[in-house]
Amino acid sequence: MISVAIMGHGVVGSGVAEILNTHKQKLFAAVGEEIYIKYILDLREFPESPFAQRFTKNFDDILSDREVRVVVETMGGLHPSYEYVKACLEEGKSVCTSNKELVAAYGAELLAIASQTNANFLFEASVGGGIPIIRPINQCLVANNVSEIAGILNGTTNFILTKMIRESMGFDDALKLAQELGYAERNPAADIEGHDACRKICILASLAFGRHIYPDAVSTEGITGITLSDVEYASVWGGVIKLIGSVKKLDKDTIDIIVAPMFVPGESQLSNIDDVFNGIMVRGDCTGDVVFYGKGAGKLPTASAVVADIIDSIKHLRSRKYLSWADSDNSSVLPAEKSVTAMYIRALSDDRAAAYDKTKAIFGDVHLLEKAGAPMTELAFITEPMPLYEIEQKAALLKSAGVSIASRIRIGDL
Amino acid sequence: MISVAIMGHGVVGSGVAEILNTHKQKLFAAVGEEIYIKYILDLREFPESPFAQRFTKNFDDILSDREVRVVVETMGGLHPSYEYVKACLEEGKSVCTSNKELVAAYGAELLAIASQTNANFLFEASVGGGIPIIRPINQCLVANNVSEIAGILNGTTNFILTKMIRESMGFDDALKLAQELGYAERNPAADIEGHDACRKICILASLAFGRHIYPDAVSTEGITGITLSDVEYASVWGGVIKLIGSVKKLDKDTIDIIVAPMFVPGESQLSNIDDVFNGIMVRGDCTGDVVFYGKGAGKLPTASAVVADIIDSIKHLRSRKYLSWADSDNSSVLPAEKSVTAMYIRALSDDRAAAYDKTKAIFGDVHLLEKAGAPMTELAFITEPMPLYEIEQKAALLKSAGVSIASRIRIGDL
């Protein structure tokens, strides 16, 4: 019998307890012994829970119990998650977490502690919910030099964009619907402003490139500025707008990493990933593109990924899984303004013909997008690929020539 | 330093040697020591190879060398692969293979031997080439009861069908093009008759359901009978024709497993998987649908999956990976005629109106497919779901009423 503790009895934590209970037989077959939930840490009371007797409000019960070899962290947030996880790892207890914020902020440090105490720090559930992604990148694609990872990493924003694309629903209505369906929080900022996707692409980038990339180094745009007009122009262009987290290796010391809405071409596998689903493309030098698709959130998908980590921890109580990356000072991140991209621009002016002439004079060749029923004041076009600072300069010139810019969205190279 | 041997220097085997050579540094970082190719077994001469000195024609050199802890089998075919792999496992050497024919025919026996000698028998490359699938099912989805797996498992047939769908190319021309491009063998039977896909779905079924399913128990249809007319009717219906390997768990003792061309609805993630790409959907009770997509064949994708297995074997020289299934007598396979499916039927008769009346009288409600420019002698429809034997009976009735059946293709429930 192996004793585990679960810290946090919210959506994911209660799902972990549920799966350990409902899938007992299958899990017994997988590890060869029973997994026993000895403690559940939560400040709230759960008198109706089948595990009611095992609840504790005292973290030290878990920390000081030598029988507890594996601890699950599903509290979320940074504190006290960080302090608790660190203390467990220092005691040589393995930790399995679904907490992307924690991994993105403290991954390098916690992995280093785990390495010192021969414990495991695993976080399959932190990216892509139930989609296998951390282990496949780390183990299955180990014989590849990964050059790029790009993904739809946030289900809430993908649901909102899908409603805008398929049903011409406005952003505000789509957000409201997402909240009603429980896909979006009452305070949706972390999702719609791209911070959640940013944490996830940071974790994937750290894993693939071996250096911790901190979220504050990553240029992050959300989807709050996307209009139905932009959605329609994307369709005219032959694609859809998706919120993409992307990282590319430019050379051995430089990565280009960003979270932003992008025009995704219809041929891309990522263009068909709708609703709350996530999809992640990993480009390896041997495999070419590999895409992983599934439910990126939700109680049981996420909890089942945590349970897979528990199993793996139990099977590697003595031999550590190889999973680590070095700390870094973010110096390998290309400054956002040097990132090269083609750009969709929707401009407004009183005189469309004159605006087009000015655009050509400033941007050179652009690809005009013509949409039936577009206002006569609107000019939508796609620039050639160029560094972002150059686009900014040209956009400023356009503005001083009397043409204002209503939207600009990157063209994804996917 | 860890010594390995590679048996077979064909496409995949030479790719394994190449990756071990070109990715030395990355692999060293992953395992913490050098991987040294001590022997390459092949009856042919490769004087230009950088490993020319290490070639042997004598299997006993590998078997008797105690330094060789991991052996790669990329010879293909059943004999002498089976005898060599068995001998290696009996000696306690781990074996990594890309040989789906071997795993589908002898997997249970070889896994049992590996278990006895505490060696590993790994075969990530045997299904889906470079796509991670064996390890994700076995490890990442371990906390799920898998109810269904369905996939496009053969790149050659998918290429042919894509040409038929996208470019209205006839089957024979598409096959010829596939051969010219090196996607199809000169003797393409194993691909176009579905046997390759059958071996792969057998491996996935064995893994997911814990009992060896042998290919000869699986009803297998290829794509040789698919016409452009069927492709067009699939489009009218709202989908595409794909060669699908599928397995469903009906109850704890029964699985429904088949390889056949199917109508795949446009909304299914599998409908967008084109050309030589493969895609595999795994349905778990916790995760819901998870889809894996990528290059299902080719030298470096497949070889990189073998190298991932080599790494895993080296990391588990003492502690065995948990990967096994029991032998079985195929009694859990539902007889094909009892399998329930809706069916597309393209019927021919002199009198279309009369044929429709007869169809309604025999099949009850059917969904008619109307295609512009269809011959007046043609009646295409989709039946309600029913067991295959019932469809056969009704089709026989239709035939004796003077309506012949030109095509019938299952409607995929995907």
Side-chain angles (χ1 to χ4, degrees):
Chain A
M1 195 175 74
I2 291 279
S3 291
V4 304
I6 303 172
M7 305 193 295
H9 198 64
V11 173
V12 178
S14 65
V16 171
E18 183 180 328
I19 292 176
L20 289 177
N21 203 26
T22 53
H23 289 59
K24 219 169 216 153
Q25 221 179 334
K26 185 159 200 293
L27 299 173
F28 186 95
V31 290
E33 50 189 322
E34 193 195 333
I35 303 171
Y36 176 73
I37 303 175
K38 194 159 181 186
Y39 303 99
I40 299 177
L41 179 72
D42 206 296
L43 294 179
R44 297 165 294 176
E45 308 274 348
F46 294 89
E48 306 298 321
S49 161
F51 306 103
Q53 301 307 314
R54 319 218 193 131
F55 274 79
T56 176
K57 296 184 170 64
N58 184 0
F59 168 64
D60 288 331
D61 287 349
I62 294 169
L63 188 66
S64 62
D65 189 331
R66 297 185 61 105
E67 276 186 7
V68 174
R69 303 291 299 272
V70 179
V71 178
V72 169
E73 187 278 301
T74 48
M75 297 186 289
L78 287 182
H79 306 285
S81 301
Y82 164 67
E83 289 76 13
Y84 288 2
V85 168
K86 188 174 172 180
C88 289
L89 291 171
E90 283 171 344
E91 278 295 306
K93 298 181 195 299
S94 289
V95 175
C96 308
T97 185
S98 60
N99 187 337
K100 54 224 156 210
E101 198 176 352
L102 178 71
V103 180
Y106 296 107
E109 182 190 352
L110 295 171
L111 283 165
I113 296 170
S115 167
Q116 283 156 20
T117 62
N118 211 27
N120 281 295
F121 179 54
L122 302 179
F123 39 85
E124 179 63 68
S126 67
V127 182
I131 308 172
I133 182 68
I134 303 286
R135 205 173 268 102
I137 290 180
N138 194 49
Q139 290 181 37
C140 305
L141 303 180
V142 60
N144 281 265
N145 290 313
V146 171
S147 60
E148 184 172 351
I149 299 175
I152 295 168
L153 298 166
N154 179 274
T156 308
T157 44
N158 203 44
F159 175 83
I160 292 171
L161 290 171
T162 302
K163 287 288 157 194
M164 295 176 75
I165 294 163
R166 304 263 182 219
E167 299 173 27
S168 300
M169 197 180 277
F171 174 83
D172 292 334
D173 289 339
L175 170 60
K176 213 176 134 205
L177 180 61
Q179 286 171 319
E180 282 165 16
L181 293 171
Y183 297 153
E185 313 264 339
R186 238 177 321 163
N187 177 353
D191 290 323
I192 63 177
E193 288 171 10
H195 303 304
D196 176 77
C198 179
R199 289 166 193 150
K200 291 169 179 169
I201 195 68
C202 283
I203 294 171
L204 296 178
S206 304
L207 187 67
F209 303 112
R211 300 175 197 185
H212 196 116
I213 307 301
Y214 290 91
D216 57 10
V218 178
S219 168
T220 301
E221 282 174 36
I223 63 163
T224 53
I226 306 292
T227 67
L228 285 178
S229 183
D230 301 321
V231 166
E232 289 161 13
Y233 278 115
S235 168
V236 167
W237 172 77
V240 288
I241 299 176
K242 295 285 183 188
L243 181 65
I244 300 290
S246 149
V247 57
K248 289 180 198 176
K249 189 170 188 171
L250 300 183
D251 59 49
K252 82 179 179 34
D253 292 318
T254 319
I255 60 168
D256 186 1
I257 180 167
I258 190 171
V259 173
M262 294 187 192
F263 274 31
V264 176
E267 310 85 66
S268 164
Q269 282 293 317
L270 296 181
S271 72
N272 299 306
I273 291 164
D274 286 337
D275 296 318
V276 291
F277 286 87
N278 285 15
I280 302 159
M281 184 276 288
V282 182
R283 186 165 288 166
D285 61 345
C286 295
T287 54
D289 291 2
V290 177
V291 179
F292 303 85
Y293 164 92
K295 279 188 190 144
K299 177 179 180 169
L300 291 181
T302 309
S304 83
V306 176
V307 175
D309 280 349
I310 297 175
I311 304 295
D312 224 5
S313 299
I314 293 174
K315 286 199 211 163
H316 293 85
L317 285 179
R318 283 159 223 95
S319 61
R320 242 190 105 244
K321 297 283 295 181
Y322 196 90
L323 177 65
S324 85
W325 57 67
D327 204 354
S328 90
D329 58 1
N330 285 327
S331 61
S332 54
V333 175
L334 183 79
E337 66 272 18
K338 292 190 183 169
S339 177
V340 173
T341 180
M343 191 72 86
Y344 152 83
I345 291 177
R346 184 164 59 91
L348 300 175
S349 77
D350 292 340
D351 183 341
R352 191 172 187 273
Y356 182 38
D357 288 341
K358 289 171 190 164
T359 297
K360 279 193 295 186
I362 293 168
F363 276 97
D365 264 351
V366 296
H367 171 58
L368 262 196
L369 297 177
E370 306 276 5
K371 186 181 71 155
M376 279 308 299
T377 52
E378 198 168 81
L379 182 77
F381 59 91
I382 305 214
T383 72
E384 293 289 301
M386 59 187 88
L388 187 62
Y389 73 85
E390 213 175 305
I391 297 178
E392 306 276 19
Q393 285 169 355
K394 292 180 193 295
L397 285 177
L398 205 57
K399 206 174 164 190
S400 50
V403 182
S404 70
I405 291 185
S407 311
R408 39 154 260 204
I409 300 173
R410 284 169 179 74
I411 306 299
D413 176 21
L414 303 165
Chain B
M1 193 176 74
I2 290 280
S3 292
V4 303
I6 303 172
M7 305 194 295
H9 198 65
V11 173
V12 178
S14 64
V16 171
E18 183 180 328
I19 292 176
L20 289 177
N21 202 28
T22 53
H23 290 59
K24 220 171 214 149
Q25 222 178 336
K26 184 159 200 295
L27 299 173
F28 186 94
V31 290
E33 49 190 321
E34 192 196 334
I35 303 172
Y36 177 73
I37 304 175
K38 194 160 180 186
Y39 303 98
I40 298 177
L41 179 71
D42 206 295
L43 295 178
R44 297 164 295 175
E45 309 277 347
F46 295 88
E48 307 298 320
S49 161
F51 306 103
Q53 301 306 315
R54 321 221 191 127
F55 275 80
T56 175
K57 296 183 171 64
N58 184 0
F59 169 64
D60 288 331
D61 287 350
I62 294 169
L63 188 67
S64 62
D65 190 330
R66 298 185 61 105
E67 277 185 8
V68 174
R69 304 291 299 272
V70 179
V71 178
V72 169
E73 188 278 302
T74 48
M75 297 186 290
L78 288 181
H79 305 285
S81 302
Y82 165 66
E83 289 77 12
Y84 287 3
V85 168
K86 188 173 172 182
C88 288
L89 291 171
E90 283 171 345
E91 278 296 307
K93 298 180 195 301
S94 289
V95 175
C96 307
T97 185
S98 60
N99 187 338
K100 53 223 156 212
E101 199 177 350
L102 177 72
V103 180
Y106 296 106
E109 182 190 352
L110 295 172
L111 283 165
I113 296 170
S115 165
Q116 284 156 21
T117 62
N118 211 26
N120 281 296
F121 178 54
L122 302 179
F123 40 84
E124 179 64 68
S126 67
V127 182
I131 308 172
I133 183 69
I134 303 285
R135 205 172 269 101
I137 290 180
N138 195 50
Q139 291 181 36
C140 305
L141 304 180
V142 60
N144 281 265
N145 290 313
V146 172
S147 60
E148 183 172 351
I149 300 174
I152 295 169
L153 299 166
N154 179 274
T156 307
T157 44
N158 203 43
F159 175 84
I160 292 170
L161 289 171
T162 303
K163 287 288 157 191
M164 294 176 74
I165 294 163
R166 304 265 181 217
E167 299 172 28
S168 299
M169 197 182 280
F171 174 82
D172 292 334
D173 289 340
L175 171 59
K176 214 177 133 203
L177 180 62
Q179 287 171 319
E180 282 165 15
L181 293 171
Y183 297 152
E185 314 264 338
R186 238 179 318 166
N187 177 354
D191 289 323
I192 62 176
E193 289 172 8
H195 303 304
D196 176 78
C198 178
R199 289 165 193 149
K200 292 167 178 169
I201 195 69
C202 283
I203 294 171
L204 296 178
S206 304
L207 187 67
F209 303 113
R211 299 175 198 185
H212 195 115
I213 307 300
Y214 290 91
D216 56 9
V218 177
S219 169
T220 302
E221 283 174 36
I223 63 163
T224 53
I226 306 292
T227 66
L228 285 177
S229 183
D230 301 321
V231 167
E232 289 161 12
Y233 278 115
S235 168
V236 167
W237 173 77
V240 288
I241 300 176
K242 295 285 183 189
L243 181 65
I244 299 290
S246 148
V247 59
K248 289 179 199 177
K249 189 170 189 171
L250 300 184
D251 59 49
K252 81 179 180 33
D253 292 318
T254 319
I255 61 168
D256 187 0
I257 180 167
I258 190 171
V259 173
M262 294 187 192
F263 274 31
V264 176
E267 311 85 67
S268 165
Q269 283 294 318
L270 297 182
S271 72
N272 300 305
I273 291 164
D274 285 338
D275 296 319
V276 292
F277 286 87
N278 285 15
I280 302 159
M281 183 275 288
V282 181
R283 186 165 289 166
D285 61 346
C286 295
T287 53
D289 291 1
V290 177
V291 179
F292 303 84
Y293 164 93
K295 281 189 188 143
K299 178 179 180 169
L300 291 182
T302 309
S304 84
V306 175
V307 174
D309 279 350
I310 297 175
I311 304 295
D312 223 3
S313 299
I314 293 173
K315 285 199 213 164
H316 294 84
L317 284 179
R318 282 160 223 92
S319 61
R320 242 189 104 243
K321 297 283 294 181
Y322 196 90
L323 177 66
S324 86
W325 58 66
D327 204 354
S328 90
D329 58 2
N330 284 328
S331 60
S332 54
V333 176
L334 183 79
E337 66 272 18
K338 291 191 184 169
S339 177
V340 173
T341 179
M343 190 73 84
Y344 152 84
I345 292 177
R346 183 164 58 89
L348 300 175
S349 77
D350 291 340
D351 182 342
R352 191 172 186 273
Y356 183 40
D357 288 341
K358 288 170 190 165
T359 297
K360 279 193 294 187
I362 293 168
F363 276 97
D365 264 351
V366 296
H367 171 58
L368 262 196
L369 298 177
E370 306 276 5
K371 185 181 71 157
M376 278 310 298
T377 52
E378 198 168 80
L379 182 77
F381 59 90
I382 311 244
T383 72
E384 293 289 300
M386 59 187 88
L388 187 62
Y389 73 85
E390 213 175 305
I391 297 177
E392 306 276 19
Q393 285 169 354
K394 291 181 195 293
L397 285 177
L398 204 57
K399 205 174 165 190
S400 50
V403 182
S404 70
I405 291 185
S407 311
R408 39 153 262 203
I409 300 173
R410 283 170 179 74
I411 306 300
D413 176 21
L414 302 165

